[in-house]
Amino acid sequence: MNAIMGSGILGLSYAMANTGILGFSILLLIVASLASYSVFLLLSMCTQTAVTSYEDLGLFAFGSAGKVLVATTIIIQNIGAMSSYLLIVKSELPGAVEGLLTGAESGFSNRSWYLDGRVLLLLTSVCIVFPLALLPKIGFLGYTSSLSFFFTVYFTLVVMIKKWSIPCPLPLSSAMETLQVSNSTGDCKAKLFHLSKESAYAIPTMAFSFLCHTSVLPIYCELQSPSKRRMQMVTVTGIGLSFLIYFMSALFGYLTFYDKVDSELLQGYSRYLPHDTIIMTVRAAILFAVLLTVPLIHFPARKAVLMVFFSHLPVSWICHILVTLTLNTIVVLFAMYVPDIKNVFGIVGSTTSTCLLFIYPGLFYLKLNREDFISPQKLGACALVIFGICVGLLSLVLILFNWVHQ
C-alpha cells in the first residue's frame, strides 16, 4: 500500500474537479481494477517462468531488447515518481517550518535559509532519503511503510473533517494574499460529469497513483514462502483499500474547494487556513509519508540501472552507493526545477505509468502464455494492451496540446 499511495493522493481532487464526481468514480474504478488484473498477470508469469523481476520478464518475452526497454521505463517512471514526492517536500516543508517558528518576525523569516524550499529539499534528501535508500533489502522498509500508511490515513481523515471549516463561496482574500476568486454561490455546486482541457490529466494521474508493479515483484521475492494466491489477495486488498482512501480524500478535497481546487491539494489549505494547527500537523504527516516512500521507489530504480549498465560487473557496495547517489542527485535536481506537480503526473503517467501498468503486463502475457488466443485471460491481456495504448497516447497528445496553447 505504501508503494501504491504517495504523491498521487494530492492530485486526485484536481482530477475529480476536471471529470466530475461520477466521471471520476468510474475512471478510478476502471484503473484500480485493471491495476489489480495486471498484477495478477505479472504474478502468473513469475510462477510460469520462475523469474524474480519485471526486467527478466521482458528478457523472457522479447530478449535483451525487452529487458532494456522495461528497465529504461522503470528508471524514467521511478525518477518521475520520486521527483513528484520531493516536489511536495519543496513546496510544503517551508510552510511547516514557518508554522513551528511562529515567534520569528515575518520580514526576517521570509529571507531565512531554513524557509527556502530548495535548501530544505537538499537537506532532507541527504539526511533521510539517501541513508534509507542505501539499505540492502526492500524488506527493511516494512516499518517505515507502516508509518507512511498511517500518515496517509490521517491526511484523509483531516481532509474529510476540514470540509466544514472552509466556507463556500470561498473568501475573496486571506491573511496571506489577495485571491482572485469568484464569490458566487454557483461555485458551490458539485458536477457529476465535467469535461475540460485539464481532464487530460485525470487518467495519467490515476495510473501514476496506482502503479506499484515495480515494487510488487521485489516484495514477492523477499517473502519467506512466496505464494501466487496469497500475494494476489494482498494485492487486491491493498489496491481496494487504496481505492477507498483515494476516493474519500479526492471527494472531500473537491467538495471543499470545488473548481478552485489546486493541482496539489495541500496548497488550498495553506492558503485559506494558514495558521490552523491540524493543517500544520497533516502537512508534517504528508511530508513524513512522502519522505518514507521515496526510498521504497529507489530500490526498483537502482535495480533497473544495475541490470542495464552494470550487469557485467560483480555486485559491490561501491557500485550500490554510486548508483544510489546518482539517482538521488537526478531526482533532487528535477524536483528543484519542475514548476508544477501536475506536469509530472501528466507526462510520466501517460507514458511510463501506462506502459508498466497496462501495456507491458498484457504484451508479456500474450507472448509467454501458451493458452488459446480466445481464452479469457488472453482476451483480457489484449484488452489491457489496447486500453493502455489508447489512453496513454490520447492523454499525452492532449497534454502536449495544452502546453503549446498555454
Side-chain angles (χ1 to χ4, degrees):
M1 286 185 73
N2 191 28
I4 295 168
M5 289 193 298
S7 56
I9 199 169
L10 298 177
L12 288 173
S13 292
Y14 184 76
M16 183 178 280
N18 290 291
T19 51
I21 293 176
L22 275 180
F24 175 89
S25 305
I26 293 165
L27 290 174
L28 193 71
L29 186 60
I30 290 171
V31 172
S33 303
L34 292 178
S36 182
Y37 180 64
S38 61
V39 170
F40 166 74
L41 294 183
L42 286 176
L43 292 173
S44 298
M45 288 181 285
C46 272
T47 306
Q48 180 185 326
T49 59
V51 300
T52 58
S53 72
Y54 210 141
E55 295 91 337
D56 284 334
L57 283 177
L59 178 67
F60 253 79
F62 296 105
S64 298
K67 179 180 178 179
V68 172
L69 182 64
V70 172
T72 306
T73 309
I74 288 173
I75 293 165
I76 296 169
Q77 155 67 32
N78 289 2
I79 286 174
M82 289 186 285
S83 300
S84 76
Y85 289 10
L86 294 184
L87 201 58
I88 294 166
V89 174
K90 184 183 77 173
S91 63
E92 295 298 332
L93 191 52
V97 172
E98 189 175 21
L100 291 172
L101 303 174
T102 49
E105 294 179 18
S106 60
F108 172 75
S109 64
N110 286 338
R111 294 191 298 270
S112 300
W113 65 268
Y114 51 78
L115 292 181
D116 186 325
R118 290 179 178 177
V119 174
L120 293 175
L121 168 63
L122 193 60
L123 282 173
T124 51
S125 297
V126 171
C127 299
I128 299 173
V129 176
F130 184 63
L132 286 174
L134 280 175
L135 293 171
K137 285 190 173 184
I138 201 167
F140 292 141
L141 295 174
Y143 301 107
T144 58
S145 291
S146 301
L147 270 176
S148 179
F149 168 67
F150 285 116
F151 287 145
T152 311
V153 172
Y154 176 59
F155 167 79
T156 304
L157 291 173
V158 170
V159 169
M160 293 168 69
I161 293 164
K162 285 296 173 183
K163 187 256 180 292
W164 319 111
S165 300
I166 297 177
C168 193
L170 293 170
L172 286 170
S173 63
S174 76
M176 296 174 69
E177 58 181 309
T178 301
L179 304 169
Q180 301 299 316
V181 179
S182 167
N183 211 23
S184 164
T185 52
D187 289 343
C188 302
K189 289 183 180 176
K191 295 170 182 171
L192 294 182
F193 289 99
H194 180 60
L195 199 61
S196 71
K197 63 178 185 178
E198 299 296 313
S199 302
Y201 290 93
I203 289 186
T205 302
M206 292 175 192
F208 190 98
S209 301
F210 276 106
L211 188 70
C212 57
H213 298 50
T214 55
S215 299
V216 164
L217 298 184
I219 291 168
Y220 177 59
C221 296
E222 284 192 20
L223 296 178
Q224 288 181 354
S225 52
S227 157
K228 175 189 161 188
R229 186 182 62 82
R230 285 185 293 133
M231 191 65 189
Q232 186 61 37
M233 283 297 295
V234 167
T235 305
V236 170
T237 307
I239 289 177
L241 290 172
S242 300
F243 172 87
L244 183 63
I245 292 168
Y246 275 157
F247 180 76
M248 297 307 291
S249 62
L251 177 65
F252 281 87
Y254 172 57
L255 292 178
T256 303
F257 300 105
Y258 295 93
D259 291 342
K260 303 296 183 285
V261 69
D262 286 275
S263 59
E264 197 264 76
L265 182 58
L266 274 177
Q267 289 176 358
Y269 294 102
S270 302
R271 189 178 297 126
Y272 292 104
L273 298 172
H275 304 298
D276 188 281
T277 306
I278 294 179
I279 293 299
M280 288 181 190
T281 61
V282 85
R283 184 189 274 163
I286 280 295
L287 286 169
F288 275 117
V290 162
L291 282 172
L292 295 175
T293 303
V294 173
L296 190 67
I297 304 171
H298 253 287
F299 275 79
R302 181 176 57 232
K303 187 176 180 181
V305 171
L306 291 171
M307 288 183 82
V308 172
F309 300 106
F310 303 103
S311 57
H312 59 288
L313 296 176
V315 177
S316 71
W317 265 104
I318 294 173
C319 195
H320 179 91
I321 292 168
L322 288 177
V323 171
T324 305
L325 182 61
T326 305
L327 282 172
N328 215 38
T329 305
I330 293 168
V331 167
V332 168
L333 288 174
F334 268 114
M336 281 185 174
Y337 297 106
V338 171
D340 194 335
I341 199 169
K342 78 174 183 184
N343 296 329
V344 179
F345 289 154
I347 292 298
V348 176
S350 61
T351 53
T352 56
S353 294
T354 51
C355 284
L356 293 168
L357 193 67
F358 307 125
I359 300 171
Y360 292 169
L363 270 181
F364 296 167
Y365 194 84
L366 290 171
K367 183 77 167 62
L368 293 173
N369 203 279
R370 302 299 178 202
E371 297 172 359
D372 291 335
F373 191 76
I374 56 168
S375 68
Q377 297 297 354
K378 280 215 168 178
L379 289 175
C382 193
L384 203 62
V385 173
I386 293 168
F387 179 83
I389 292 171
C390 293
V391 164
L393 282 177
L394 181 63
S395 301
L396 184 61
V397 168
L398 289 173
I399 289 165
L400 294 176
F401 182 79
N402 283 351
W403 284 8
V404 170
H405 290 83
Q406 274 180 350

